[in-house]
Amino acid sequence: MGEDVAGGLLWYVVRNAPTFLAMFFLMLLAVRGRLRFSLKATVGMALGIVVAVSLACGIGVAAFAGEEGVWATVPVLAVSLLSLAALTKLPWGKRLFVFFSAATAAAIAILTYDVLLRTVALEWSFGVRRVLDAVVCSAGPLVLAPLFARTIRWGVEQVDDPALWRRLAAVPAGFFVAANALYMFAYAVEFLSSGANALYALAVGVLAFLMVASYLMLFSALRTVMENARLREAAQLEELQHERYENLRRTLRETAKARHDFRHQLLVIRSFAEKDDVRGLRAYLDEEGAGQAQRESGAYALNFALDSVAAHFAERARACGADVSLAFALPERLPLPEADFCMAMANLLENAVEACERAATEGAQGSGSARAGTDGRSALPDGARTLFMDAEVRVEGSAVLVSVRNNCSSTDARALAAAAPNGVLSSGARSAKREGDGIGLASVATMAKRYRGEVRVETDEHAATIRVLLRAGGAR
């Protein structure tokens, strides 16, 4: 009895462990950019997990299952999924997609061996069939290695919508169910003719083709969607730059006119001086100074694209009565890709402006317009909190630190607190804006994740602070 168990165990491990290793290898190809440990350590742990679970299942099959040993695959698959979760930093949607994709590749390889066994290898010797089994079932899944290493890995790295991945996981899960259903059907129904075997082979080939074709089409569509989104962001940034350029041109024209009129202003000042009209002179200077301050918007950043973004949202914030303070201590050449960083700042500042607008509306319902506060900032009627939008960006070592603080309504404060219960905003968080207003902070969280950073949220009843950490040169 002991020899039978030992022989069955050896037989199970030799036959199945290579297939499980190939499946794990495909999963690691797709997620190697999101591993919790080093690649070497992860490969070692994966190897140990596969060997251990193969031995455990082999003992169960040899001692108890007999011909029903096919069901031992279930705990192997369960352990593989849990191991993938333990070894990677991924949302469950991505884990399920990668897992079912690799499991389907292994299932199709097993189907391929079964087709070969029924059509060409049935009369071969036992040893030759075992070699064919080992080669097809272990090397077969590796044919799809480029699909996992390039296409699926690109999706894992670039697409960070958890809800989307949960829906996408149904695609490989469906193929996995279809492959297993086909295998069970083939053993439930006895094929008595070469034509039936040919149809079986055709079904396996069609299943494999549909899987690969579906993946290529799916990720091609995702690439198109992301490229269109990038082009829209580039167009928005270009529009802001054009707006800033026109404002600068207008300021230059006004400056030229002011220089032309300066001699006339000197005559007016001289006339006040000759009359010893100090009060009139002060009133005139205050009026001219206020008008000049109102006309000149100033520069917020050395980088023109970032300056354009800042100027646009600073103007919007001031239009709703908010006091604006922007401090961008960045060089003209940004430490991060210009388009990525500018769109992240646009999202942050747009959220801040709209939060101020909603706070102004909430605080001024049934009252008049904003008035000046005791601290110089604009204040809402009836003693409500002052309106403000403060933003600071600075570089510390290889990190870029962004801080945006602004008023927010109590509704927005609750929404932000719910989106970041532990203070860290995830890329899957819902926007605090009203429905239809875009993805806002979720987009910033996605970018922060790409640059090995994070987005932290602090809220109280009337204000919110968003702090973003990005690592220069750290895109993944």
Side-chain angles (χ1 to χ4, degrees):
M1 180 65 177
E3 294 181 357
D4 292 339
V5 172
L9 172 61
L10 179 62
W11 164 249
Y12 183 90
V13 172
V14 170
R15 186 179 185 188
N16 293 285
T19 306
F20 301 148
L21 285 173
M23 185 179 75
F24 234 110
F25 178 73
L26 291 180
M27 290 192 291
L28 293 181
L29 283 179
V31 303
R32 67 181 184 272
R34 300 293 180 91
L35 299 176
R36 295 184 185 275
F37 312 101
S38 67
L39 180 60
K40 184 177 180 180
T42 302
V43 170
M45 285 186 282
L47 180 62
I49 290 169
V50 169
V51 172
V53 73
S54 297
L55 287 171
C57 291
I59 292 173
V61 170
F64 308 107
E67 295 300 322
E68 301 298 325
V70 66
W71 296 108
T73 305
V74 174
V76 172
L77 294 175
V79 170
S80 298
L81 177 58
L82 294 176
S83 300
L84 179 65
L87 296 174
T88 60
K89 296 179 288 186
L90 292 172
W92 271 102
K94 288 185 180 181
R95 290 168 178 165
L96 289 173
F97 185 93
V98 171
F99 167 74
F100 279 117
S101 298
T104 302
I108 290 177
I110 294 172
L111 282 171
T112 302
Y113 168 71
D114 193 47
V115 168
L116 293 175
L117 181 63
R118 291 169 181 267
T119 55
V120 298
L122 188 60
E123 302 300 327
W124 293 2
S125 66
F126 179 81
V128 175
R129 291 203 306 270
R130 296 289 66 81
V131 172
L132 179 65
D133 185 355
V135 171
V136 173
C137 293
S138 60
L142 302 184
V143 173
L144 297 180
L147 179 69
F148 282 79
R150 298 174 185 173
T151 304
I152 298 179
R153 187 190 178 198
W154 172 87
V156 169
E157 295 291 332
Q158 300 297 324
V159 183
D160 284 315
D161 185 348
L164 174 64
W165 280 103
R166 285 193 294 270
R167 293 191 294 269
L168 291 180
V171 176
F175 280 111
F176 180 72
V177 170
N180 282 276
L182 183 59
Y183 186 80
M184 294 173 66
F185 175 79
Y187 274 85
V189 178
E190 186 177 359
F191 295 160
L192 300 177
S193 67
S194 58
N197 286 328
L199 287 176
Y200 180 39
L202 179 63
V204 173
V206 169
L207 183 65
F209 172 78
L210 287 178
M211 177 187 173
V212 175
S214 297
Y215 277 38
L216 294 178
M217 293 174 61
L218 175 64
F219 285 99
S220 176
L222 286 177
R223 286 179 186 272
T224 300
V225 170
M226 293 193 66
E227 180 64 16
N228 289 341
R230 187 191 66 80
L231 291 176
R232 284 195 300 270
E233 291 180 348
Q236 292 172 5
L237 184 57
E238 184 178 354
E239 182 179 350
L240 293 179
Q241 289 177 323
H242 178 73
E243 176 185 327
R244 181 60 165 164
Y245 176 70
E246 291 299 324
N247 288 339
L248 291 175
R249 287 186 61 185
R250 184 168 59 252
T251 300
L252 289 175
R253 289 195 298 268
E254 292 174 353
T255 301
K257 182 178 180 299
R259 288 175 178 172
H260 180 268
D261 295 340
F262 185 61
R263 57 181 178 175
H264 300 295
Q265 294 171 352
L266 285 177
L267 291 175
V268 175
I269 293 173
R270 182 182 293 275
S271 68
F272 282 115
E274 289 175 349
K275 296 177 183 179
D276 286 332
D277 187 359
V278 178
R279 180 176 297 178
L281 177 59
R282 286 176 177 172
Y284 176 76
L285 292 175
D286 289 342
E287 179 182 353
E288 286 297 312
Q292 187 69 11
Q294 186 177 10
R295 289 191 295 268
E296 293 180 357
S297 59
Y300 299 98
L302 296 176
N303 178 270
F304 184 70
L306 181 58
D307 182 64
S308 302
V309 170
H312 174 80
F313 291 106
E315 183 178 347
R316 280 185 55 184
R318 291 192 180 102
C320 76
D323 185 46
V324 178
S325 174
L326 303 180
F328 292 169
L330 293 173
E332 182 176 1
R333 184 180 178 86
L334 298 178
L336 296 167
E338 183 177 86
D340 282 354
F341 186 73
C342 287
M343 289 314 301
M345 289 305 305
N347 274 320
L348 290 170
L349 295 178
E350 182 179 31
N351 275 5
V353 169
E354 293 187 351
C356 285
E357 291 171 347
R358 288 193 292 271
T361 301
E362 184 181 85
Q365 284 178 347
S367 303
S369 59
R371 58 177 174 79
T374 56
D375 60 353
R377 288 182 164 179
S378 300
L380 298 177
D382 303 325
R385 297 301 180 97
T386 57
L387 289 177
F388 67 94
M389 181 180 77
D390 299 338
E392 179 187 5
V393 184
R394 67 183 189 275
V395 177
E396 290 190 4
S398 62
V400 178
L401 304 178
V402 181
S403 175
V404 178
R405 181 171 173 79
N406 55 268
N407 296 94
C408 68
S409 66
S410 56
T411 302
D412 286 346
R414 288 192 297 270
L416 283 171
N422 60 348
V424 179
L425 192 75
S426 72
S427 57
R430 297 182 62 182
S431 174
K433 300 179 184 179
R434 299 299 183 261
E435 184 177 356
D437 284 341
I439 56 176
L441 289 178
S443 174
V444 178
T446 297
M447 177 191 164
K449 189 174 183 180
R450 189 183 312 144
Y451 287 93
R452 298 187 297 113
E454 64 180 10
V455 178
R456 289 193 168 272
V457 177
E458 299 174 10
T459 60
D460 56 39
E461 187 178 356
H462 299 288
T465 302
I466 309 296
R467 305 184 192 278
V468 184
L469 167 66
L470 303 170
R471 300 189 186 279
R476 58 185 182 187

